[in-house]
Amino acid sequence: MSSNELTNLLELETTKYIIFGEEVSGKTTLLNMLQMRFDEKGLLTLSINAKNIKTQEYKRFEKVLFEHCKKQYDENSINAFKSLLQNKAKDIVLLIDDFENFGIKSTKTKLESIKMLNDNFTNIIIFSDDSTEIEIMTKEDIRNQLNGFEFYKI
């Protein structure tokens, strides 16, 4: 799937994808390109490395998001981000890179974190290597938490 096709899919009501690829296949480059395109469309796009997701509690995760927002945007965008978060984040696109390095190793807590993300964000695009694809396909509990996500391979 091309980056143009992915940006067009954001016009749907809900966008949840996981993009798998081998190491150095261009996933992070695609993430950066998508962030620019979504920003051009007027969406607030927030990129976060999965190693920084270390909680299943939304309020604690919100603090991590604000820190990333400060690094990626100016003060006006940060204020817009705060406002959007209060409205269930429908106009925020959350881009999660290196999902294979998720900051939580406990399967139970990882599942709760995935549920928290799924419950609070309408637009999520996750980038991960092939090891996560295998984990999702072999572990029913993780696959169930990712219900509603579409899977792609680059």
Side-chain angles (χ1 to χ4, degrees), residues 56-117:
Q56 74 278 19
E57 297 171 24
Y58 182 71
K59 286 294 179 193
R60 288 181 61 200
F61 181 64
E62 209 172 60
K63 291 177 184 176
V64 173
L65 291 177
F66 282 125
E67 289 305 312
H68 281 75
C69 191
K70 287 177 190 174
K71 292 176 186 173
Q72 297 173 41
Y73 292 100
D74 62 20
E75 194 64 37
N76 290 334
S77 295
I78 293 168
N79 291 332
F81 179 70
K82 288 178 185 176
S83 175
L84 288 173
L85 278 178
Q86 293 170 352
N87 296 315
K88 280 296 189 187
K90 290 196 181 261
D91 290 327
I92 295 174
V93 180
L94 189 59
L95 302 174
I96 302 173
D97 200 14
D98 295 330
F99 196 70
E100 67 276 7
N101 297 324
F102 202 81
I104 298 172
K105 299 303 174 202
S106 156
T107 301
K108 179 181 181 282
T109 308
K110 187 176 191 177
L111 289 170
E112 291 169 355
S113 297
I114 294 169
K115 180 179 182 344
M116 176 270 298
L117 293 169

